[in-house]
Amino acid sequence: MWERGRPPRKPRPSPILVPPPPPSPPPRANLLPRSLLALAARAMPSRRPSPVLLLLLALALALLFLLLSPSSPSASRLSRSLASGSASASSPHAAAPPAPVKIYMYDLPTKFTYGVVRSYTAARAPSGSADAAAVLPDEQLRYPGHQHSAEWWLFKDLLRRGPRDRPVARVDDPRDADLFYVPFFSSLSLVVNPIRPPAAANASGVAAAYSDEAMQEELLEWLEPQPYWRRHSGRDHVFICQDPNALYKVIDRISNAVFLVSDFGRLRSDQASLVKDVILPYSHRINSFKGDIGVDGRPSLLFFMGNRYRKEGGKVRDALFQILENEEDVTIKHGAQSRESRRAATRGMHSSKFCLHPAGDTPSACRLFDALVSLCVPVIVSDYIELPFEDVIDYSNISIFVETSKAVLPGYLTSMLRRVSSERILEYQREIKKVKRFFEYEDPNGPVNEIWRQVSLKAPLIKLLTNRNKRLFERGTNRTDCSCICSTNPTEMTTDR
């Protein structure tokens, strides 16, 4: 210290001598206090420090030594705290999962849900017997075995209560909702009336009483006055129309909404798109293969069973029949839907290395998903097919794609498949097993959760478009609107916002 008004004294050399380093470094716990003591001594003035200052310094060093000691409980807690903080900062999975998208399911009149199931079973009641479904309560009804059963699985999933880890959460108040689900069984409604009505239906008129077109109109008569439909012209609503012809009569009136479909075969580009809508897998109709991967139990090279004559893109089937029906170790059969056909298809797919999937009336069909759950490598001859969940599934790892123009060349398809080694077939089967759950609706972690995840991804885009449309003026229609994603012109929107 120095007196006021006088220049400071030049510091004297420190009287403390630091000993030369020892041959081997001492333990860290003993080295730290000595180093701190030496630094403190250098920093101290040359006069002798007071005893009180030395006591305080000793206490501080003792406390520091105790905290940094490996056996100290405080040090362990501190280390754990720092380690967990560092791990949470560096781990890419440490962030909390996003909040689920809130979805409101309309409480439709039962004729649009359970009533469709009752109408379907009544139309097929055998002559002289009562319809068993007519006396069952709604919760005991079962959806008919059908490739379009996704509408049933999604409906029942939203009916279930309780906390679950999934990308959407059902809300009871529509004011809280991000999206609105319309649970009309549109695909089942389309086929309520059988192609060949039973005698009982003809006599009673039950089959003739049901009209799918009338149901579509009645659905829109119920929905269009709803305030949440009118608010954004249905843009935040979700319909499932898995059959290519489902909702065909009213499709233009609901084209703003999100469609859950299996392909775009019957939809125009101004009605549907990959950006706006979600591709679903068909429900498989044959039993899943329960065995392990392998080729020894699959003597057949290629299997196909289905209708030979189809319209539009399905004309390729007849060409493939002509090329393949005389090939050795290839099974290709014409067959319609029936229990016996499904049993034969199960045997054929479970015993074949490859399963053919040609286009039909539309680019996709349940046969593809029958093959996947059978561990039969799909050979896809459908140039315009759309596939479900392609953001998480690389179909080139589980399928073989062949251009239609090449597949119809004599000998091309079988020669290509015979060149695929057994090791490569096993690789395909391993990859199929990894993603097989995405095609089995009965799996609790299967396609239902994935469909809801895909739907939840549409919510930000819907919000963007609804906000954008609030400030748009009427625009001319003489040029392409590059921002249009199946959206209506502002003049078609209501002003009820």
Side-chain angles (χ1 to χ4, degrees):
M1 306 295 290
W2 61 82
E3 297 179 8
R4 183 176 298 174
R6 294 184 181 180
R9 298 177 183 176
K10 294 182 179 180
R12 298 178 182 177
S14 173
I16 299 177
L17 298 177
V18 180
S24 59
R28 184 176 180 84
N30 296 331
L31 181 61
L32 183 58
R34 291 180 183 177
S35 302
L36 290 173
L37 183 61
L39 290 172
R42 291 195 186 100
M44 289 170 54
S46 59
R47 66 176 62 181
R48 182 183 298 277
S50 66
V52 176
L53 182 61
L54 287 174
L55 180 61
L56 292 174
L57 181 62
L59 289 173
L61 291 173
L63 180 61
L64 182 63
F65 176 79
L66 181 63
L67 287 172
L68 296 178
S69 172
S71 61
S72 167
S74 300
S76 300
R77 287 194 296 269
L78 179 63
S79 300
R80 287 195 298 268
S81 175
L82 291 174
S84 64
S86 174
S88 64
S90 60
S91 172
H93 305 292
V101 169
K102 297 174 183 177
I103 191 165
Y104 176 80
M105 182 167 69
Y106 280 109
D107 185 16
L108 294 179
T110 56
K111 67 179 180 179
F112 295 113
T113 53
Y114 294 116
V116 181
V117 179
R118 295 184 190 280
S119 296
Y120 182 93
T121 56
R124 287 157 178 76
S127 177
S129 64
D131 176 21
V135 297
L136 288 176
D138 289 344
E139 58 272 13
Q140 292 184 21
L141 288 175
R142 296 183 62 184
Y143 191 88
H146 204 270
Q147 63 181 345
H148 303 124
S149 65
E151 57 192 11
W152 174 262
W153 291 100
L154 295 177
F155 174 66
K156 298 297 282 187
D157 182 68
L158 287 181
L159 285 179
R160 284 193 289 270
R161 297 293 186 175
R164 285 181 291 157
D165 182 18
R166 58 178 183 173
V168 298
R170 184 185 172 194
V171 295
D172 295 320
D173 190 339
R175 293 173 295 182
D176 299 330
D178 302 304
L179 299 172
F180 297 80
Y181 184 64
V182 184
F184 174 43
F185 293 169
S186 59
S187 294
L188 186 64
S189 176
L190 189 70
V191 295
V192 160
N193 293 330
I195 298 174
R196 300 180 183 86
N202 290 336
S204 63
V206 172
Y210 189 92
S211 169
D212 175 55
E213 290 190 354
M215 289 289 282
Q216 296 178 46
E217 292 287 355
E218 291 172 24
L219 175 69
L220 268 291
E221 288 173 7
W222 184 93
L223 183 63
E224 287 177 332
Q226 301 295 323
Y228 292 98
W229 172 268
R230 296 175 61 223
R231 183 177 60 173
H232 301 307
S233 298
R235 190 185 301 281
D236 49 3
H237 284 53
V238 182
F239 292 83
I240 181 166
C241 37
Q242 198 172 15
D243 189 287
N245 292 316
L247 294 173
Y248 71 94
K249 187 173 180 59
V250 298
I251 200 75
D252 284 319
R253 292 162 62 183
I254 62 173
S255 60
N256 278 351
V258 177
F259 293 154
L260 310 183
V261 298
S262 286
D263 60 42
F264 300 132
R266 300 278 171 83
L267 295 167
R268 302 189 310 266
S269 60
D270 63 329
Q271 295 171 333
S273 74
L274 278 176
V275 175
K276 180 178 74 72
D277 306 311
V278 176
I279 301 295
L280 311 185
Y282 285 107
S283 299
H284 63 85
R285 301 299 311 281
I286 70 171
N287 297 328
S288 295
F289 182 72
K290 302 302 183 183
D292 202 355
I293 63 172
V295 295
D296 292 339
R298 298 178 179 267
S300 177
L301 176 71
L302 181 65
F303 177 84
F304 173 81
M305 186 173 184
N307 285 319
R308 175 171 182 165
Y309 304 104
R310 308 305 289 176
K311 297 172 289 186
E312 301 172 11
K315 294 178 181 178
V316 67
R317 291 191 182 187
D318 185 43
L320 290 170
F321 263 84
Q322 295 179 41
I323 293 169
L324 296 172
E325 59 188 351
N326 295 320
E327 285 278 356
E328 186 181 356
D329 64 10
V330 171
T331 302
I332 184 165
K333 296 180 179 179
H334 174 76
Q337 287 286 350
S338 68
R339 290 184 179 179
E340 181 54 40
S341 294
R342 286 195 293 274
R343 284 193 287 266
T346 299
R347 293 191 297 269
M349 289 189 171
H350 289 188
S351 61
S352 298
K353 301 177 183 70
F354 300 99
C355 288
L356 185 63
H357 176 76
D361 290 343
T362 58
S364 186
C366 67
R367 190 172 295 100
L368 168 63
F369 307 100
D370 289 341
L372 288 168
V373 300
S374 300
L375 298 189
C376 184
V377 182
V379 179
I380 299 175
V381 184
S382 182
D383 297 344
Y384 301 102
I385 193 170
E386 297 293 350
L387 297 166
F389 318 145
E390 285 202 83
D391 59 335
V392 293
I393 300 175
D394 183 352
Y395 281 85
S396 65
N397 291 333
I398 60 175
S399 307
I400 296 175
F401 294 86
V402 185
E403 280 186 83
T404 300
S405 59
K406 294 182 178 178
V408 296
L409 297 176
Y412 179 87
L413 204 55
T414 51
S415 297
M416 180 195 69
L417 295 178
R418 288 192 176 101
R419 290 195 299 268
V420 181
S421 66
S422 297
E423 291 76 14
R424 184 69 183 100
I425 295 173
L426 294 176
E427 289 177 16
Y428 279 122
Q429 292 177 346
R430 289 189 194 97
E431 294 298 319
I432 291 172
K433 288 198 76 170
K434 292 178 183 177
V435 298
K436 187 180 172 186
R437 64 181 175 86
F438 287 108
F439 313 116
E440 297 180 314
Y441 279 90
E442 60 274 17
D443 191 316
N445 195 29
V448 171
N449 267 3
E450 188 58 27
I451 290 168
W452 289 134
R453 186 186 72 83
Q454 300 277 343
V455 169
S456 72
L457 296 177
K458 307 299 180 182
L461 176 63
I462 292 169
K463 189 68 174 178
L464 181 154
L465 291 175
T466 53
N467 287 342
R468 176 176 176 271
N469 276 337
K470 292 177 182 179
R471 51 90 178 167
L472 290 180
F473 299 104
E474 181 179 355
R475 293 166 291 179
T477 57
N478 57 346
R479 65 183 180 88
T480 302
D481 180 7
C482 297
S483 64
C484 174
I485 307 173
C486 297
S487 60
T488 58
N489 291 324
T491 53
E492 299 175 19
M493 296 188 303
T494 65
T495 56
D496 183 16
R497 292 172 178 163

